């Protein structure tokens, strides 16, 4: 049997991670959740992440900094998508420069989110 | 100008009058006293002004924070409701689906209002920046009209889009211009009763040696009395709160629209009479193709 894709959701809101966990678990993925940069790095140390959905504002710093840390430890996810509150061009540019494949504005319609994640994990 | 400088200005003016034979010598004391009083009043006014500015900045920050804090639970509500609606947790009856669809609709509406408050707060704090790119206004108008089509049909209205051929491209912030068109068309639809008509017309006009693109968004709706024309662009002001509330307005839409148009070098105004519909216009300068 083919392994289920592993999704890491990084967001400091338990309400948001709870909703996304249900969405991805119920559609055939394994899900990990991290509320801080430190936790996200620890999850990626422990297993291979296919897709990371990354909030930009985390309690212990700028969400995007997690990418550089993971890169240095060779634990960077295959695909990272930023989840932001607003789609401002300067934010989008910062995300792309940091290595994000996509910048998605919360709340992302679930049909779109599932379509993107399926595409990335195909 | 500092209060001290203004105080010196008053002193000079007085020194002219008490040298005049028309004024007795003992008026010097009175004049000096008045100058002191004025200086004190000016100092006080400057202090109050500084305090008000600082409170205004706090209010703006508060609005930005509250908007962010509202978006997070709304994101969770909408995502959970969409999971239910799409049957990811099992099939729903038609009534259950309708109910969940209402939760999503209400949630998205709230999200839009929160977004508007945030845009307003950023505008008030001069934190809105323009990211210009070259685009055709006709594409923006067509996109916004298409998005509003279902609402137009639902309300029993008709919509038309009229574009003068050969309108040149603009260099402006496309997202902000889209927001303005969307706001004006949304208002036109909201304030026009069933059976009415809304339209968008795009033309080119020359204005003091420059070429401008002009967008008109009109309707056959309830209209606005001329004495209220300035009021509609003022923040939190509502000409008549009752219909506005019926249409779920934050009272900020046109304030934001004006700010965005002006940020992009344009102008916005309206022509309307009570009961005779409204025509909102805005212009934007045409980009230099070089």
């Amino acid at each position: 049997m083919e392994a289920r894709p592993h999704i890491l959701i990084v967001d400091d809101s338990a309400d948001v991670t709870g909703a996304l966990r249900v969405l991805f678990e119920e559609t055939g993925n394994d899900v990990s959740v991290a509320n801080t940069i430190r936790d996200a790095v620890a999850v990626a140390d422990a297993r291979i992440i296919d897709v990371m959905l990354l909030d930009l504002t985390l309690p212990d710093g700028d969400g995007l900094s997690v990418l550089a840390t993971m890169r240095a430890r060779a634990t960077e996810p295959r695909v990272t998508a930023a989840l932001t509150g607003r789609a401002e061009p300067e934010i989008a540019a910062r995300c792309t420069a940091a290595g994000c494949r996509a910048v998605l504005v919360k709340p992302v319609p679930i049909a779109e989110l599932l379509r993107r994640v399926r595409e990335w994990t195909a | 100008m500092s209060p001290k400088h203004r105080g010196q200005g008053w002193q000079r003016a007085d020194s002219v009058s008490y040298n005049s034979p028309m004024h007795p010598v003992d008026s010097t004391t009175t004049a000096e006293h008045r100058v002191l009083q004025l200086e004190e009043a000016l100092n006080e006014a400057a202090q109050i002004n500084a305090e008000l500015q600082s409170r205004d900045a706090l209010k703006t920050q508060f609005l930005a924070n509250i908007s962010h804090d509202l978006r997070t639970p709304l994101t969770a509500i909408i995502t959970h409701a969409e999971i239910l609606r799409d049957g990811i947790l099992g099939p729903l009856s038609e009534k259950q689906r309708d109910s969940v669809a209402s939760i999503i609709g209400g949630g998205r509406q709230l999200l839009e209002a929160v977004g508007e408050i945030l845009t307003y707060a950023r505008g008030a704090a001069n934190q809105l920046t323009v990211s210009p790119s070259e685009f055709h206004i006709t594409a923006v108008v067509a996109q916004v009209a298409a998005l509003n089509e279902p609402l137009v049909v639902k309300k029993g209205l008709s919509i038309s889009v009229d574009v003068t051929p050969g309108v040149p491209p603009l260099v402006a912030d496309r997202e902000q211009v889209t927001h303005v068109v969307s706001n004006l068309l949304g208002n036109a639809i909201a304030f026009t009763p069933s059976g009415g008509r809304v339209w968008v017309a795009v033309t080119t006009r020359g204005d003091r040696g420059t070429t401008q693109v002009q967008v008109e968004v009109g309707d056959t709706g309830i209209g606005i009395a001329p004495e209220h024309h300035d009021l509609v662009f003022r923040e939190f002001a509502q000409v008549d709160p009752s219909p506005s509330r019926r249409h779920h307005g934050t009272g900020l839409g046109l304030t934001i629209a004006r700010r965005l148009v002006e940020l992009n070098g344009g102008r916005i105004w309206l022509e309307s009479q009570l009961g005779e519909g409204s025509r909102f216009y805005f212009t934007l300068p045409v980009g230099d193709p070089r």
Side-chain angles (χ1 to χ4, degrees), chain B residues 168-231:
Chain B
L170 291 172
V171 177
D173 189 310
R174 184 177 178 140
E175 201 181 319
Q176 291 175 352
V177 174
T178 306
H179 185 100
V180 174
V181 176
S182 183
N183 173 269
L184 296 181
L185 191 57
N187 283 347
I189 295 167
F191 291 103
T192 303
S194 178
R197 205 160 54 79
V198 297
W199 65 89
V200 186
V202 181
T203 51
T204 312
R205 57 182 271 169
D207 199 0
R208 275 168 276 167
T210 61
T211 308
Q212 311 264 322
V213 167
Q214 176 177 298
V215 179
E216 172 190 350
V217 181
D219 65 68
T220 57
I222 59 175
I224 300 159
E227 63 267 29
H228 292 144
H229 285 190
D230 284 341
L231 195 66

Side-chain angles (χ1 to χ4, degrees), chain A residues 13 19 85-86 106-107 110, chain B residues 71-72 82-83 88 111 118 131:
Chain A
S13 160
R86 287 168 73 85
K106 290 191 279 189
I110 62 164
Chain B
R71 284 188 73 90
T72 301
E82 286 188 348
I83 289 169
I88 288 171
L111 205 62
L118 191 58
S131 301

Side-chain angles (χ1 to χ4, degrees), chain B residues 9-89:
Chain B
W10 282 103
Q11 210 158 7
R12 272 199 304 277
D14 270 358
S15 68
V16 174
S17 59
Y18 61 68
N19 283 339
S20 147
M22 295 293 291
H23 290 78
V25 177
D26 62 0
S27 69
T28 308
T29 328
T30 319
E32 277 174 358
H33 182 65
R34 277 196 58 219
V35 168
L36 277 174
Q37 276 182 324
L38 281 167
E39 277 187 354
E40 269 174 32
L42 283 168
N43 277 331
E44 204 178 318
Q47 269 174 18
I48 292 170
N49 193 29
E51 196 177 318
L52 284 174
Q53 277 182 6
S54 131
R55 283 190 195 180
D56 203 42
L58 271 178
K59 182 197 75 184
T60 302
Q61 191 53 48
F62 168 75
L63 284 176
N65 290 347
I66 203 89
S67 300
H68 178 263
D69 289 349
L70 285 170
R71 284 188 73 90
T72 301
L74 273 172
T75 295
I77 290 168
I78 292 169
T79 307
H80 274 299
E82 286 188 348
I83 289 169
L84 288 173
R85 180 200 58 192
D86 292 0
I88 288 171
L89 297 177

